[in-house]
């Protein structure tokens, strides 16, 4: 987290950690804390003004489904952190995913996606897209050249990637995605947050986040966002106003507050996740660990090139299999059993029972998930306490 962002010509360059503090303050009227604009409607002085407000993309002072000042402050902050011209917030990460797909794809169009995906995104591509005549080709996002080989010139309108990906932290080459000509490229960068990687710097067209996770960071906001060139965001805005999955101002407020502390939270979470990953890798009851900090991780070198830190998520394989993994999760005393990620509390999930409960055994196998897989979202507790908890749970579950 030491890279500098590029400022305007002649301006001093600032670190992203600083931008997280300074960004998104246009609508605050001098208040240092973000201001909650709860209102749903604004009055206009004249009919001509109301016409202007009704038709201006991303207008913040007309009607809340079109835009809202608190939501706009969050969008402005994300755009700055991602090095984007503009951003549009949504009611959830899935609101953003569905908008991106249905905005840019029509019947007869073709979409390329990796199969290492968040379960909701995979379900949308597999179950909803066919109903709308959108054909989807799934590729291994970690295989060099796989996206390019699947693109059908003139027919592929969207390429959808996720990196690091659920739940095995697969890393996709952002330079390769950015070099694809033709389709719009979009990266779900939720696991990295805007602090650990900037897909747009690599030539990718759009970056998407579930801000419900690390960006808001305190389990108190359900929120999505997409950032990119103003022209693309205006297209998305036109669809989003009709889709109606607009972000709540309260959630945008919580996410803006979360952004202010994201750099320090992430630094701690990345460091603790690296400590836990190394300790688990050396543990006799663990068959394997996935975390980009580990030299054994297939995406280790790529992550080091394109990310500023390894991230707060890791997964590990309980060697004795599914029953032992379930016993291990249930024996945890400090770590809680819960889905989601990026918050202060360390959480354990059993992907086969939750996020990937609906995937076929074949799909799970190619994603590297088995019944023994445990995913950890590393929080802000002291690393020694987390390590002690994991060790006692592994002993309780496996005797090792
Ligand atoms: C959680 C998540 C989503 C969906 O976000 P919601 O805010 O839950 O709708 C999408 N992608 C990734 C990688 C996620 O972790």
């Amino acid at each position: 987290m030491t890279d500098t962002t590029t400022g305007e010509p002649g301006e001093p360059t600032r670190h992203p950690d600083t931008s997280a503090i300074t960004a998104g303050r246009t609508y605050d009227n001098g208040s240092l804390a973000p201001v909650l604009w709860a209102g749903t409607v604004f009055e206009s002085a004249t009919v001509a003004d109301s016409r202007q407000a009704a038709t201006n993309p991303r207008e913040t002072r007309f009607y809340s489904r079109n835009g809202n000042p608190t939501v706009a402050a969050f969008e402005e902050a994300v755009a700055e952190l991602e090095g984007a011209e503009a951003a549009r917030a949504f009611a959830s990460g899935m609101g953003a995913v569905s908008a991106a797909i249905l905005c840019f794809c029509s019947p007869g169009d073709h979409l390329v996606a990796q199969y290492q995906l968040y379960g909701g995104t995979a379900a949308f591509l597999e179950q909803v897209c066919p109903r709308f005549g959108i054909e989807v080709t799934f590729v291994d996002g970690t295989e060099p050249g796989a996206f390019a080989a699947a693109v059908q010139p003139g027919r592929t309108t969207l390429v959808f990637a996720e990196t690091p990906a659920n739940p095995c932290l697969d890393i996709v080459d952002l330079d390769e995605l950015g070099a694809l000509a033709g389709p719009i490229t979009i990266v779900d960068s939720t696991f990295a947050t805007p602090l650990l990687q900037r897909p747009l710097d690599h030539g990718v067209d759009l970056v998407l986040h579930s801000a419900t996770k690390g960006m808001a960071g305190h389990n108190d906001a359900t929120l999505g966002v997409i950032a990119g060139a103003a022209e693309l965001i205006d297209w998305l805005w036109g669809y989003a106003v009709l889709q109606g999955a607009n972000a709540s101002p309260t959630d945008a407020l919580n996410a803006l507050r979360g952004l202010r502390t994201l750099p320090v939270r992430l630094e701690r979470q990345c460091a603790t996740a690296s400590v836990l990953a190394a300790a688990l890798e050396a543990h006799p009851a663990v068959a394997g660990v996935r975390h980009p900090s580990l030299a054994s991780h297939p995406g280790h070198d790529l992550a080091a090139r394109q990310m500023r830190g390894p991230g707060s998520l890791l997964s590990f394989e309980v060697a004795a299999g599914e029953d032992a993994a379930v016993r291990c999760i249930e024996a945890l005393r400090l770590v809680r059993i819960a889905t989601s990620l990026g918050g202060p509390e360390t959480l354990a999930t059993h992907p086969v029972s939750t996020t990937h409960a609906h995937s076929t055994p074949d799909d799970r196998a190619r994603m590297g998930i088995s019944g023994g897989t445990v995913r950890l979202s590393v929080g802000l507790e002291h690393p020694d306490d987390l390590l002690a908890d994991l060790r006692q749970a592994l002993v309780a579950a496996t005797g090792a």
Side-chain angles (χ1 to χ4, degrees), residues 328-346:
C328 170
I329 292 172
E330 292 182 344
L332 290 163
R333 294 178 192 143
L334 174 60
V335 177
R336 294 148 205 268
I337 306 173
T339 192
S340 202
L341 56 111
E345 304 85 6
T346 298

Side-chain angles (χ1 to χ4, degrees), residues 60-86:
T60 56
R61 301 177 71 91
F62 175 63
Y63 183 65
S64 54
R65 187 153 41 76
N66 296 34
N68 165 283
T70 307
V71 173
F74 170 68
E75 292 167 340
E76 182 183 289
V78 174
E80 180 172 334
L81 286 168
E82 289 290 0
E85 285 175 355

Side-chain angles (χ1 to χ4, degrees), residues 92-95 97 118 121 162 166 188 190-191 208 210-213 222-224 341 375:
S92 67
M94 280 311 296
V97 168
Y118 174 70
T121 307
E162 176 180 316
N166 253 300
D188 183 336
T190 299
F191 278 22
L208 179 152
S210 167
T212 310
K213 313 294 168 54
T222 306
L223 191 65
L341 56 111
R375 189 187 83 176

Side-chain angles (χ1 to χ4, degrees), residues 167-169 277 280 286 288-291 294 313-317 351 368 373-376:
C168 292
L169 295 312
L280 285 168
V286 173
V289 182
R290 290 292 202 106
H291 188 249
L294 297 171
L313 272 290
L314 67 90
S315 63
F316 64 95
E317 194 73 23
T373 305
V374 177
R375 189 187 83 176
L376 284 185

Side-chain angles (χ1 to χ4, degrees), residues 102-119:
L102 294 180
C103 172
F104 295 116
C105 300
S106 301
D109 284 349
H110 177 243
L111 186 158
V112 180
Q114 69 197 70
Y115 53 68
Q116 302 96 334
L117 281 175
Y118 174 70

